[in-house]
Amino acid sequence: VSTVLFAAANLPMVVKAVRSGDLRSYSLSALVMGNVGNAVYTVYVLSLPFGPIWILHGFYLTTMAIMLVLYGVSAHAHRVAQRRPDTAR
């Protein structure tokens, strides 16, 4: 039950980010640190017998990686848009 509740609490954030593509409210350092923390924690989780923690951790790994990639894509698109000459004058 706990695993489902934790995953359900994070799912709306990920869905909103995927749909809107707007990640300006997210911190790059927090996303990077979250991904590094998840990578380190994976060593511990893999030492445990298969169970709900594997599912929860897999969800966290996946969603944090998606958020980091979306942040990178969003930041790149913003930089490209900033470099374009303003033709709508």
Side-chain angles (χ1 to χ4, degrees):
V1 172
S2 174
T3 297
V4 171
L5 290 174
F6 278 115
N10 284 298
L11 204 52
M13 168 189 70
V14 175
V15 169
K16 182 179 177 184
V18 169
R19 284 186 179 166
S20 71
D22 183 9
L23 280 86
R24 289 178 291 180
S25 63
Y26 294 93
S27 162
L28 176 60
S29 61
L31 290 172
V32 169
M33 287 174 41
N35 276 284
V36 171
N38 276 334
V40 172
Y41 192 62
T42 298
V43 175
Y44 169 69
V45 171
L46 292 177
S47 73
L48 299 172
F50 183 78
I53 190 67
W54 279 49
I55 297 165
L56 180 61
H57 186 63
F59 175 81
Y60 282 148
L61 280 173
T62 303
T63 56
M64 287 297 291
I66 289 170
M67 296 298 286
L68 183 60
V69 168
L70 287 175
Y71 186 92
V73 169
S74 175
H76 176 72
H78 182 70
R79 283 192 303 271
V80 168
Q82 292 292 323
R83 283 186 270 177
R84 287 188 191 143
D86 187 15
T87 58
R89 288 184 188 189

